[in-house]
Amino acid sequence: MKLENVVPWGRNLQEYKKMFQLSQKDLQSKILGCGDGPSSFNFEVTKLGGNITSIDPIYQFTKDEIQQRIDETSSVVSQQLKQNQNDFVWKNIKSVDELINIRLTAMSNFIKDYDNGKRDRRYIHQELPELSFETDSFDLVLSSHFLFLYSEHFDLQFHIDSIIEMCRVSNNEVKIFPLLDLKNQKSEFLEPILEILQNKGFETKIIKTDYEFQKGANELLSIKVHNKSLKRNK
């Protein structure tokens, strides 16, 4: 992974709560965020006394390197949003300027927390589909804006392996948001993955959320992993 290929884009706790319908009980559970990037979710949950770990390949880089990349890309992203603002729903967030402010604030809080988080092993350089954690290490495992969204970049087998691995390290539930690809179409991988999960005995449910920014992206996939018996793949 090269940092120049990364477009840092950080969401905050309020957005995570709406995307994943997180309750106070959820926030008090042991959480793993897969692909959290430069979001302030970990920082904010930690401030509330929560127990959270985030993994992302971007965590191989230093704070200064990530900040430099944020500085390089933020104006470009802002311009693209203004040119394509009809592709989004301006309900939870009212304007491009408000959105940019929310994102920059989230990423600023992430940067301030980054070195402490690395030291405390809250930010760990890992990536799907292989995680180092023991089976049943977490109560809740989340994937925000990665799986399904990048269906053109990562094939069906990658999605299967990644979701099964997320189920392995969770003792309760996995949640994935959104279920659309970058073309605002339902991911072609969703139906085959639902069938595979159901055949493995997992309880799956598609839940409508209160959050919609990408048009049509207002559903999450919940996977209940009670009573599973998965052996770790070597």
Side-chain angles (χ1 to χ4, degrees), residues 11 87-88 145-155 159 176-190 213-219:
R11 294 170 177 85
D87 294 337
F88 303 98
H145 292 84
F146 175 51
L147 294 173
F148 296 125
L149 187 64
Y150 290 94
S151 294
E152 287 189 354
H153 300 76
F154 298 93
D155 64 13
H159 278 71
I176 301 169
F177 179 93
L179 307 183
L180 302 189
D181 59 25
L182 289 169
K183 295 179 179 178
N184 283 18
Q185 301 296 317
K186 189 82 64 143
S187 170
E188 62 181 318
F189 301 149
L190 181 60
F213 183 59
Q214 178 189 7
K215 280 188 178 177
N218 59 356
E219 292 178 326

Side-chain angles (χ1 to χ4, degrees), residues 7 86 144 165 189 203 234:
V7 179
N86 290 336
S144 162
E165 183 73 342
F189 301 149
E203 178 189 339
K234 296 293 185 181

Side-chain angles (χ1 to χ4, degrees), residues 12-141:
N12 60 27
L13 173 59
Q14 190 64 24
E15 290 177 281
Y16 268 74
K17 287 170 70 173
K18 290 179 179 178
M19 288 188 292
F20 293 109
Q21 295 195 330
L22 299 178
S23 65
Q24 192 58 36
K25 182 179 178 182
D26 290 328
L27 295 176
Q28 292 169 349
S29 66
K30 191 174 182 183
I31 300 172
L32 174 66
C34 296
D36 281 340
S39 75
S40 61
F41 179 55
N42 190 306
F43 165 73
E44 293 182 79
V45 172
T46 300
K47 271 183 62 177
L48 294 172
N51 185 342
I52 177 168
T53 301
S54 298
I55 64 125
D56 198 288
I58 200 176
Y59 302 152
Q60 67 188 282
F61 301 108
T62 67
K63 175 177 75 172
D64 290 343
E65 287 172 330
I66 297 172
Q67 180 64 66
Q68 181 179 346
R69 187 60 182 151
I70 291 170
D71 294 340
E72 290 169 351
T73 58
S74 58
S75 61
V76 176
V77 172
S78 176
Q79 188 60 39
Q80 289 176 342
L81 280 165
K82 287 175 180 176
Q83 291 172 354
N84 300 288
Q85 54 187 304
N86 290 336
D87 294 337
F88 303 98
V89 177
W90 301 98
K91 177 184 173 185
N92 301 96
I93 299 168
K94 304 300 183 187
S95 68
V96 173
D97 288 339
E98 182 184 347
L99 175 67
I100 295 299
N101 183 59
I102 289 169
R103 295 287 180 266
L104 290 177
T105 300
M107 291 190 286
S108 175
N109 285 328
F110 162 80
I111 289 292
K112 287 186 286 188
D113 184 51
Y114 185 61
D115 285 342
N116 288 337
K118 290 269 282 188
R119 182 198 63 211
D120 297 339
R121 300 283 293 166
R122 289 187 287 110
Y123 299 117
I124 300 176
H125 169 215
Q126 287 189 35
E127 55 190 295
L128 293 168
E130 294 184 10
L131 302 175
S132 68
F133 309 109
E134 296 298 322
T135 297
D136 295 339
S137 291
F138 300 92
D139 303 312
L140 179 61
V141 179

